Amino acid sequence: MTTDVRDMRARSRRILWFAARYLAQSWWYELVLPRVGLSRIAARGRSARLRRIAQRFHLLAVDLGGLMIKVGQFMSSRLDVLPPEITKELEGLQDEVPPVPFPDIRALAEAELGLSLDRAFSFIDPTPLAAASLGQVHRARLSETDAADTGLLDVVVKIQRPGIGAIVDVDLSALRRVGGWLSHVRLVSDRVDMPALVEEFALTSLEEIDYLHEAASAERFAEDFGGDGRVGVPELVWERTTRRVLTMQDVTAIKINDVDGLRAAGIDPSEVAAEFAAVMFDQLFLHGYFHADPHPGNIFVTPLADAGEPATEGGRTWTFTFVDFGMMGDVPDTLRRGLQKLLVAAASRDGKGMVDGIREVGVLLPSADTAELERAMTKLFARFGGMGFAELQDVDPREFRAFAIEFGDVVRSLPFQLPENFLLIVRAMSLTSGMCSSLDPGFNIWNAIEPYSAQLIRAEGGRLVQTVTKQALSVAGTIARLPGRLDDLTTRIEEGRVTVQTPKLDRRLSSLERTGRRLIAAVLFAALLIGGILLLGEDAVFGTVLMAVSALPLLYALFAGMLARRGPLR
C-alpha cells in the first residue's frame, strides 16, 4: 500500500471518527437523556457544548485543509439548518493555508499545459499572490508571441494544489456517509434532507475545481455586462488555460474596501457603495446570473485613467472589476415565480399567501406544518405591513429584535431548508450589505432594493393582475357555496352525525402516555439500582440480582418509543 493511499484512508477515518464521536454525543444529550426525564440536564450546557463542537471542527478543518475549510464556511452560512452557536463560531474560518512549494506547482502546471513554464511565460513569480485550500495564484508575464496575439502582457495564473482532486473525492465520500447516517435520524430528517444538502455542496465544490467551468462563467458574466461601463471582467488567455490551470489578465487595482486608497484616488466611498449595490441587484433581478462570492478580495475599483480609458458620460472616473468566478449563482424561473407570489402576498398582507410563496421557493420541506408560521406572518403584517422603507427605519430596533426572536423560534421549529440558489442569493446580499455599510456607515440596503422591487412588480404586472383575479374568483365561489354548506352542516348537527377528528391531539396524548410510562420505568430503574447497591454489603447475591433486573426498566425507558413503531430514530 502506497503512502498516498494510507494518507487518504487516514484522512477519511479522521473525518468519520469526528462525525461519529459528536453524533454519538448529540444522540446521548438530545435523545437519550430527554427519554428518561433528564431534559434539563441536556439543555443546561447545550450552548457551550455546541460551541465546543464548532471550535474542534474549526481546528480539524484548518489541519486537514481540502474541502473541510469549505465545509466550515458552508455550515457558517446555513442559518436555516444549524444553531447560531455553530454558525457564529465558524463564520471567521478563512480559506488561507500555507502555499505549496513552487517546484510541485511547476510540475503540475507543466503537465497540464504540455510545455515548460519557461516557454509558456516569459516570467512567473514563484511567490504566490494568494494560497487557498484548492489552489494558489501567481503573477506572470506572457511571451512576446502570446502578448502579440492576445494584446495582454501581465497576467495571473491560478494553479490547483497537487492531489486536490483525490482529496476532494475522499472528503465528499466521507461527507456522503455522514449524510447517510443523519438521514436515518428522524430528528434530523424531519428538518433537512441531508443527502440532498451534501450533493448541493458537492456540486459547488466540483465546479470550483474545474477551471474550464470558471472560465466559461467569467465569459458569461462579461457578456451580461457587455457595454456597461460600470463593470469590467479580466480577459482570459485560453491558450494557457486547462481544467487545472487558469490564466487571465492581471487586473489588480484598489480593493473595494480600501477606503483610504479610494479617497487617495479621488473616489467617494459612499458613491462606490451605492453603485456596488446597484450592480449586484442588476445581476439578481435583470440578468438572473450573479457573483456569489463578492468579498473584498474579489472586487477591485479601477480608476479609468489607469486603464487608459476616458471618464463616463456621467462623469464617473472608475469602474468595478470582478475576479474569481468559481462560485456563481442562477435565479431560475421557479424562484422568480416564488418571489412573485411573495410580493403579491406582501402587498395584500396575506400571511397564508406569504407562506405559500415561501413553500414555492423551496424553503419549506413538504412535511412542514405551517399554522404557526402563518400566524407569525399575520402578526408581522399587522404591525409593519403598511410601512414603507423610510418608515421602517424609524421603528425602535428593540421592537425589530423582539419580532425577530419570535419569528426565529417559529422558523427553527419547522422543517426549513434554503435551496442552494436561494442560499447563494442570501450570501451575496449579506456580503453586499456588509461591504456597502463598511464604505458608507449611513448606507441602507432597503433604499437600494426598493426600486428593483418596484421594477420586478411592473415586469410581472400582467401576471399579478391574473393572480389577483383568480383569487377574487376563488373567494366569490366560496361565498356562493357558503349557504348550501351551512344548511348541510345544520342538518348533520340535528341528526347527530358531526364528528371531530383531532389527530394532532391524539398523537400528543399518546406521546404523553408513553412519556409517563418511561418516567415510571426510569424511577423503577433508579430504585432497583440504588437498592441493589445498598444490599451488596449484606446480601451480595440479592443485591446483584436487583442491579441486573434494573436493566429491564432502563431498556424500556430508552427504547419504548422504538418498540411502538418501526422507522428511524426519534
Side-chain angles (χ1 to χ4, degrees):
M1 185 184 298
T2 66
T3 303
D4 287 345
V5 172
R6 284 197 299 270
D7 289 346
M8 291 298 107
R9 289 186 176 179
R11 179 185 184 88
S12 179
R13 281 196 299 270
R14 283 190 67 185
I15 296 170
L16 293 174
W17 169 247
F18 181 92
R21 175 184 176 183
Y22 289 107
L23 282 175
Q25 183 188 96
S26 299
W27 177 79
W28 174 257
Y29 281 103
E30 305 301 332
L31 294 176
V32 175
L33 292 184
R35 282 178 183 272
V36 295
L38 299 177
S39 299
R40 289 187 178 180
I41 293 177
R44 192 179 301 153
R46 181 176 288 119
S47 293
R49 193 164 58 247
L50 291 173
R51 279 195 298 272
R52 263 196 314 274
I53 293 174
Q55 288 165 357
R56 288 170 183 171
F57 180 83
H58 189 293
L59 295 174
L60 178 75
V62 171
D63 187 34
L64 289 180
L67 281 190
M68 288 300 101
I69 290 178
K70 298 290 183 184
V71 170
Q73 293 175 330
F74 184 76
M75 289 194 299
S76 72
S77 65
R78 295 312 303 236
L79 303 175
D80 55 316
V81 175
L82 296 171
E85 291 88 352
I86 289 180
T87 57
K88 184 71 175 175
E89 191 66 39
L90 294 178
E91 67 182 7
L93 188 58
Q94 299 295 317
D95 191 3
E96 297 175 357
V97 297
V100 176
F102 187 68
D104 297 337
I105 285 290
R106 173 188 285 275
L108 184 146
E110 291 179 346
E112 281 290 304
L113 296 173
L115 72 166
S116 70
L117 290 185
D118 293 335
R119 289 183 56 197
F121 304 99
S122 63
F123 161 79
I124 184 166
D125 189 347
T127 302
L129 269 175
S133 56
L134 304 182
Q136 57 193 54
V137 178
H138 294 259
R139 276 201 172 98
R141 188 170 294 125
L142 293 178
S143 65
E144 291 184 6
T145 303
D146 289 339
D149 290 341
T150 62
L152 302 175
L153 182 60
D154 293 324
V155 295
V156 291
V157 187
K158 186 176 179 180
I159 305 169
Q160 268 187 25
R161 295 177 77 91
I164 195 63
I167 289 174
V168 167
D169 289 342
V170 168
D171 290 356
L172 289 178
S173 176
L175 291 172
R176 288 185 175 108
R177 287 187 66 182
V178 174
W181 294 346
L182 289 170
S183 69
H184 293 292
V185 180
R186 182 159 297 176
L187 187 68
V188 175
S189 63
D190 281 351
R191 277 190 51 77
V192 59
D193 184 349
M194 278 305 302
L197 193 65
V198 172
E199 291 309 318
E200 285 178 10
F201 177 75
L203 178 62
T204 302
S205 301
L206 292 173
E207 287 179 349
E208 201 166 347
I209 62 171
D210 182 354
Y211 291 168
L212 291 176
H213 181 274
E214 180 176 344
S217 298
E219 286 202 329
R220 178 179 171 183
F221 189 84
E223 289 174 5
D224 284 345
F225 283 96
D228 189 331
R230 299 172 302 166
V231 177
V233 177
E235 293 186 39
L236 295 162
V237 184
W238 282 103
E239 295 80 2
R240 297 290 177 260
T241 296
T242 70
R243 196 175 67 83
R244 298 198 290 172
V245 175
L246 175 62
T247 305
M248 60 174 56
Q249 177 186 9
D250 186 355
V251 292
T252 305
I254 306 169
K255 278 191 177 183
I256 188 172
N257 66 337
D258 184 357
V259 174
D260 292 337
L262 292 173
R263 289 188 176 131
I267 299 171
D268 183 359
S270 61
E271 183 185 349
V272 173
E275 202 67 62
F276 180 61
V279 166
M280 290 302 299
F281 290 137
D282 277 352
Q283 295 173 43
L284 288 168
F285 296 114
L286 299 183
H287 306 305
Y289 187 67
F290 62 96
H291 197 298
D293 195 22
H295 66 73
N298 286 341
I299 299 105
F300 295 107
V301 175
T302 306
L304 294 175
D306 293 352
E309 298 179 14
T312 63
E313 292 182 1
R316 187 167 41 78
T317 59
W318 50 270
T319 187
F320 292 112
T321 305
F322 285 75
V323 299
D324 192 349
F325 301 91
M327 188 183 294
M328 305 295 292
D330 283 288
V331 185
D333 291 339
T334 53
L335 184 53
R336 286 182 184 273
R337 286 196 296 272
L339 291 174
Q340 173 191 338
K341 183 170 286 189
L342 287 171
L343 286 172
V344 173
S348 58
R349 304 184 197 178
D350 177 8
K352 184 178 185 306
M354 194 79 170
V355 173
D356 289 342
I358 293 172
R359 193 190 295 275
E360 186 165 327
V361 166
V363 170
L364 291 174
L365 298 181
S367 59
D369 181 358
T370 57
E372 286 297 324
L373 183 58
E374 288 174 17
R375 280 194 286 273
M377 286 291 189
T378 301
K379 187 174 180 181
L380 200 65
F381 282 133
R383 175 63 183 92
F384 301 115
M387 296 185 178
F389 287 115
E391 293 173 291
L392 287 172
Q393 294 175 40
D394 296 329
V395 175
D396 188 342
R398 289 173 295 183
E399 191 170 357
F400 275 130
R401 280 197 294 271
F403 269 85
I405 292 170
E406 180 179 355
F407 184 73
D409 289 341
V410 172
V411 168
R412 280 190 288 273
S413 69
L414 293 169
F416 172 75
Q417 175 179 323
L418 293 179
E420 177 69 7
N421 286 314
F422 199 78
L423 170 69
L424 291 178
I425 290 174
V426 172
R427 172 186 171 82
M429 287 300 94
S430 175
L431 289 172
T432 299
S433 179
M435 183 89 74
C436 293
S437 296
S438 69
L439 290 168
D440 177 11
F443 177 82
N444 191 300
I445 192 73
W446 300 111
N447 290 339
I449 201 172
E450 191 169 18
Y452 289 90
S453 301
Q455 184 177 348
L456 184 59
I457 291 174
R458 286 195 300 271
E460 300 289 348
R463 289 190 219 172
L464 295 182
V465 171
Q466 292 177 10
T467 301
V468 171
T469 302
K470 287 180 181 178
Q471 290 178 347
L473 290 174
S474 175
V475 171
T478 301
I479 293 172
R481 292 190 298 272
L482 190 57
R485 292 189 175 186
L486 287 173
D487 184 60
D488 181 61
L489 176 61
T490 303
T491 302
R492 286 171 176 266
I493 292 173
E494 289 174 349
E495 295 177 357
R497 292 188 292 116
V498 175
T499 59
V500 179
Q501 294 181 343
T502 57
K504 290 184 70 175
L505 181 59
D506 293 341
R507 287 197 299 270
R508 181 60 60 86
L509 289 174
S510 297
S511 176
L512 288 173
E513 288 175 4
R514 287 197 300 271
T515 301
R517 289 196 295 269
R518 288 200 296 270
L519 185 58
I520 292 171
V523 172
L524 183 58
F525 156 69
L528 290 172
L529 181 64
I530 294 171
I533 293 171
L534 293 175
L535 287 173
L536 272 178
E538 300 179 9
D539 190 336
V541 175
F542 188 52
T544 303
V545 169
L546 285 180
M547 291 174 65
V549 170
S550 71
L552 297 176
L554 174 63
L555 291 173
Y556 179 85
L558 291 177
F559 302 109
M562 295 176 60
L563 296 174
R565 64 186 181 278
R566 289 185 176 182
L569 294 172
R570 284 190 184 273

